[in-house]
Amino acid sequence: ETGVTQTPRHLVMGMTNKKSLKCEQHLGHNAMYWYKQSAKKPLELMFVYNFKEQTENNSVPSRFSPECPNSSHLFLHLHTLQPEDSALYLCASSHSDGNTEAFFGQGTRLTVV
Amino acid sequence: GESVGLHLPTLSVQEGDNSIINCAYSNSASDYFIWYKQESGKGPQFIIDIRSNMDKRQGQRVTVLLNKTVKHLSLQIAATQPGDSAVYFCAENTPWGATNKLIFGTGTLLAVQP
């Protein structure tokens, strides 16, 4: 266990559905991240939140909408996704000073049908 | 541009042998580097890190070497065991505005043969 918990672990959704991914950490970290991991591709940084403020949106389509209500929780709201959005979505957290490693959750395996 | 890449996508070794996984990075401003291990069905897990003011760091059975001249990073695993089979990622921590971002390579699959 890394201290970063993601739910659900698996999600199957239709292209017209709305769903949300949840991430929670109680490590005292101030920075939280969403990554997308597709087969045979590098981990792609999607969003960065630093002290609850979004500091990075890496050209992610608007059908992905992040929310960070506090430093311990991070959500990714999903709406009208495409089959090519099927991937492993990983949440991570770290201290915001950038001098320590990021801790990852187990990920949510998303399948869009 | 920024990139972190791995020279070998797949590495197959015999149990007990030493493994070396290589990584190249391009951003000379990166000051912190991390190796992660990702087993099937799990998120990446921290193995070892190194800062840019060092050229070598050792852990338990693992050693990371950093060559800033050629922007090269390597992970050495001594006496490789079946439990070491996983995908290994290098990541460089790059200053980005008020925070930092980790840039990952594509990963190397390490397959340990018994």
Side-chain angles (χ1 to χ4, degrees):
Chain A
E1 291 296 328
T2 62
V4 180
T5 304
Q6 289 186 245
T7 54
R9 292 294 307 278
H10 301 273
L11 178 62
V12 179
M13 61 184 290
M15 289 188 284
T16 58
N17 292 160
K18 289 183 181 181
K19 296 287 184 182
S20 295
L21 310 185
K22 179 182 177 182
C23 178
E24 184 173 354
Q25 60 88 12
H26 296 288
L27 300 170
H29 292 161
N30 292 312
M32 296 188 76
Y33 313 81
W34 279 116
Y35 283 86
K36 176 183 178 182
Q37 187 175 34
S38 304
K40 298 183 180 179
K41 293 178 69 176
L43 274 74
E44 301 172 61
L45 179 63
M46 300 175 71
F47 301 104
V48 179
Y49 276 83
N50 192 32
F51 289 94
K52 300 186 296 179
E53 298 296 323
Q54 186 181 131
T55 58
E56 172 103 2
N57 176 339
N58 203 21
S59 302
V60 181
S62 59
R63 57 186 184 270
F64 295 91
S65 175
E67 179 189 0
C68 188
N70 55 62
S71 293
S72 299
H73 294 86
L74 185 65
F75 296 89
L76 188 62
H77 303 300
L78 314 173
H79 177 51
T80 60
L81 295 191
Q82 304 299 311
E84 60 264 30
D85 296 322
S86 299
L88 181 69
Y89 288 85
L90 290 159
C91 172
S93 70
S94 72
H95 290 295
S96 56
D97 61 8
N99 288 322
T100 58
E101 73 275 21
F103 290 78
F104 284 83
Q106 301 277 48
T108 294
R109 173 66 63 186
L110 174 67
T111 303
V112 181
V113 297
Chain B
E2 299 171 329
S3 68
V4 177
L6 295 172
H7 296 309
L8 297 173
T10 303
L11 177 64
S12 183
V13 300
Q14 290 295 122
E15 181 178 357
D17 288 351
N18 296 333
S19 304
I20 300 176
I21 302 172
N22 297 302
C23 177
Y25 67 96
S26 62
N27 189 345
S28 57
S30 296
D31 56 3
Y32 179 52
F33 303 88
I34 309 166
W35 280 100
Y36 284 92
K37 172 186 180 182
Q38 187 175 23
E39 297 174 283
S40 180
K42 297 184 178 181
Q45 290 189 297
F46 170 86
I47 302 173
I48 192 168
D49 59 3
I50 189 167
R51 304 192 187 282
S52 58
N53 61 351
M54 303 171 69
D55 53 21
K56 180 179 180 179
R57 188 160 190 227
Q58 288 185 291
Q60 187 176 15
R61 284 201 306 119
V62 295
T63 301
V64 56
L65 299 178
L66 175 63
N67 185 330
K68 294 181 289 293
T69 302
V70 295
K71 297 177 186 171
H72 184 266
L73 197 66
S74 69
L75 177 70
Q76 300 178 1
I77 304 175
T80 313
Q81 302 169 1
D84 295 326
S85 294
V87 177
Y88 289 81
F89 294 95
C90 64
E92 68 183 294
N93 192 55
T94 300
W96 192 260
T99 185
N100 300 272
K101 64 177 182 180
L102 280 174
I103 302 172
F104 284 83
T106 54
T108 292
L109 173 62
L110 176 65
V112 181
Q113 309 300 323

